[in-house]
Amino acid sequence: MTPADSNVAMPPVAHARFTIGDVVRHRVFDFRGVIFDVDPIFANSEEWYEAIPEDIRPRKDQPFYHLLAENMESSYVAYVSQQNLIPDESDEPIDHPAIAGLFTDYADGRYTLRREHRH
């Protein structure tokens, strides 16, 4: 390790507010979903990030969540920053075709990850 290496700034430790299986809602856009993976900081492509309008572009130094998402028209996979998610208070399950492959039960506003997907 050289002296210059010791000057590298490390990102602040990000703490995830949500966990796998939580049902959440987007703060701005009208969709909700169940979390199936968490990145401690941004881990998508620069192209994806730059496509977000600058005035609403989230910071990269926060957790990002992979969601099985739904809106009134369709179901899809979404990648959303922590700052744009809030807990979903509807107590309604998510209607996404991939849920049965990843999760078992739905109770108290969250899903239980299938045993074979836990590590």
Side-chain angles (χ1 to χ4, degrees), residues 14 16 37-44 60 62-66 79-80:
D37 197 9
V38 182
D39 294 333
I41 58 172
F42 179 78
N44 206 333
K60 289 183 175 180
Q62 62 181 311
F64 277 73
Y65 299 87
H66 299 261
Y79 191 65
V80 185

Side-chain angles (χ1 to χ4, degrees), residues 22-68:
D22 285 350
V23 177
V24 292
R25 180 174 298 280
H26 196 281
R27 183 182 303 280
V28 177
F29 301 112
D30 190 24
F31 72 87
R32 53 198 287 272
V34 59
I35 296 168
F36 71 90
D37 197 9
V38 182
D39 294 333
I41 58 172
F42 179 78
N44 206 333
S45 70
E46 268 312 299
E47 181 180 34
W48 182 92
Y49 187 75
E50 294 295 327
I52 301 169
E54 193 170 348
D55 60 328
I56 62 168
R57 193 177 295 154
R59 296 179 337 273
K60 289 183 175 180
D61 65 343
Q62 62 181 311
F64 277 73
Y65 299 87
H66 299 261
L67 309 177
L68 297 178

